[in-house]
Amino acid sequence: MKRTISAADRAVSVVLRQQSDLITRPQALAAGLTDGALRRRLRPDGPWRVVLPGIYLAHHGDLTAGQRVIAAVLYAGRGCVITGPAALRRVGVRVPLSEPVDVLIPATTRRLSTRFVLVHRTTRMPDKPWRLDGLRWAPPARAVADAARGNMAPRDVRALVADAVQRGRCTIQQLAAELGAGPNQRSAALRAALDEVADGIASVAEGDLRALIKKSGLPEPIYNPRLLVGDTFLAKPDAWWPDAGVACEVDSREWHLSPEGWERTQARHARMSAHGILVLHYAPRRIRSDGSGVVSELRAALAAGRQRPPLAIRAVPVPGTAGGW
């Protein structure tokens, strides 16, 4: 016998299409479902299941990342703003995989974190959240700061900050403003990462090199400068000591897995060597496991480089790094 589709069924279907198979209890009742009809759909053998308090999924499969975000917004309320890793993934910033969805709500709103939703009550709701797919998202600088103040490891915070700045999603100055405006609690990793990016650090491995150099007492180099011979671009080493003509390169496998990447590295090395630069290459693992050996080699190269006349090479620092933030 063919089942008759009621007006309530049609109204519910419209909501589910708009919200990726998700619906709230008030929406279901407003569409015309009775309490009894709703209970039948939510029985163990029924077609729906509860994913958050008062939030239902119209099938028994796993939630996708996009459905988790929508469910979080339905739970927290339409006035909420998505922040943290979920907001950063939406703009293409690389963040560690995680299930929780962070949402900001006004401090006067009463709502508790539950399951995969992390609710943050704040007196600093973003002034200009950006809108996409009917949802409100925190500006990237705010999302970075909120993510960094979470449970991320310092190395992950470093990678997050570097990636967001490199991809042009936010600037060092915007991150510094968020650091100053937000709470000091759990800000140490963000402050340290921001110091490194302000120095021109472009990756986690380069951050490890910077930390090693600072700890060792070696002279501070220029990080990621553009080296020029006259007006001709020569190379952009990871670290550069101009008084000694010494360059240091961190050869991360992430950037050198292809033959083309390896050839570019070799060509850059050859260009620098041809102009008298002493080039040292280090794998990220060795920087972490044999720091004393790396420091000894750098110290010897610097001493040797200072025994000769300065090289006719001009260094242009990364824009925005001179003088800190």
Side-chain angles (χ1 to χ4, degrees), residues 19-20 22 63-72 90 101 135 137:
Q19 298 179 168
S20 296
L22 290 157
L63 286 170
T64 66
Q67 286 174 324
R68 281 199 302 272
V69 170
I70 294 172
R90 198 68 182 83
V101 178
L135 305 177
W137 307 78

Side-chain angles (χ1 to χ4, degrees), residues 183-235:
N184 289 327
Q185 186 178 9
R186 297 190 294 183
S187 289
L190 176 59
R191 187 175 299 278
L194 196 53
D195 282 340
E196 293 179 352
V197 174
D199 274 348
I201 299 299
S203 72
V204 172
E206 289 175 39
D208 290 338
L209 175 65
R210 177 187 186 271
L212 178 63
I213 289 170
K214 284 186 173 294
K215 182 179 179 180
S216 70
L218 285 170
E220 193 76 9
I222 303 172
Y223 295 99
N224 289 297
R226 298 177 71 250
L227 301 185
L228 305 174
V229 178
D231 292 327
T232 302
F233 174 76
L234 180 61

Side-chain angles (χ1 to χ4, degrees), residues 41 46 54 79-80 106 119 122 164 175 199 206 252 267 274 307:
R41 295 191 182 208
C80 75
V119 175
T122 179
L175 288 171
D199 274 348
E206 289 175 39
S252 174
Q307 299 301 313

Side-chain angles (χ1 to χ4, degrees), residues 268-319:
R268 187 169 63 253
H269 179 105
R271 287 196 305 272
M272 288 191 284
S273 296
H275 285 83
I277 296 174
L278 301 177
V279 187
L280 288 81
H281 293 265
Y282 294 106
R285 180 177 297 180
R286 189 178 174 210
I287 292 172
R288 296 192 299 269
S289 63
D290 184 26
S292 59
V294 171
V295 169
S296 295
E297 292 168 10
L298 286 171
R299 201 181 301 278
L302 293 173
R306 294 189 183 107
Q307 299 301 313
R308 57 187 182 169
L311 303 179
I313 293 174
R314 181 163 57 97
V316 179
V318 175

Side-chain angles (χ1 to χ4, degrees), residues 40-297:
R40 286 192 293 273
R41 295 191 182 208
L42 292 171
R43 289 187 312 196
D45 60 345
W48 290 7
R49 70 181 180 95
V50 178
V51 293
L52 290 170
I55 312 297
Y56 314 129
L57 179 66
H59 61 75
H60 283 263
D62 292 332
L63 286 170
T64 66
Q67 286 174 324
R68 281 199 302 272
V69 170
I70 294 172
V73 170
L74 292 174
Y75 170 77
R78 288 290 181 176
C80 75
V81 174
I82 306 152
T83 190
L88 293 170
R89 275 193 294 270
R90 198 68 182 83
V91 294
V93 176
R94 292 183 296 183
V95 292
L97 292 176
S98 61
E99 183 181 86
V101 178
D102 296 85
V103 291
L104 300 170
I105 63 173
T108 54
T109 302
R110 293 187 177 275
R111 185 69 79 185
L112 298 176
S113 298
T114 184
R115 300 188 187 178
F116 56 84
V117 184
L118 299 180
V119 175
H120 305 275
R121 297 171 62 193
T122 179
T123 58
R124 281 198 324 119
M125 291 294 290
D127 291 332
K128 296 180 179 179
W130 58 282
R131 297 174 182 269
L132 183 65
D133 299 330
L135 305 177
R136 297 173 3 128
W137 307 78
R142 176 61 181 271
V144 168
D146 288 338
R149 290 189 178 99
N151 294 322
M152 296 180 68
R155 284 175 60 82
D156 291 334
V157 173
R158 177 191 296 164
L160 171 62
V161 170
D163 194 61
V165 172
Q166 283 181 282
R167 292 177 186 272
R169 301 301 186 261
C170 57
T171 66
I172 295 171
Q173 290 74 20
Q174 289 170 333
L175 288 171
E178 283 292 341
L179 179 64
N184 289 327
Q185 186 178 9
R186 297 190 294 183
S187 289
L190 176 59
R191 187 175 299 278
L194 196 53
D195 282 340
E196 293 179 352
V197 174
D199 274 348
I201 299 299
S203 72
V204 172
E206 289 175 39
D208 290 338
L209 175 65
R210 177 187 186 271
L212 178 63
I213 289 170
K214 284 186 173 294
K215 182 179 179 180
S216 70
L218 285 170
E220 193 76 9
I222 303 172
Y223 295 99
N224 289 297
R226 298 177 71 250
L227 301 185
L228 305 174
V229 178
D231 292 327
T232 302
F233 174 76
L234 180 61
K236 187 179 178 182
D238 297 324
W240 167 247
W241 286 266
D243 63 323
V246 172
C248 181
E249 295 270 68
V250 181
D251 295 330
S252 174
R253 283 177 56 84
E254 179 177 0
W255 306 109
H256 298 99
L257 288 175
S258 68
E260 294 80 7
W262 176 250
E263 289 171 3
R264 286 194 296 269
T265 297
Q266 293 298 299
R268 187 169 63 253
H269 179 105
R271 287 196 305 272
M272 288 191 284
S273 296
H275 285 83
I277 296 174
L278 301 177
V279 187
L280 288 81
H281 293 265
Y282 294 106
R285 180 177 297 180
R286 189 178 174 210
I287 292 172
R288 296 192 299 269
S289 63
D290 184 26
S292 59
V294 171
V295 169
S296 295
E297 292 168 10

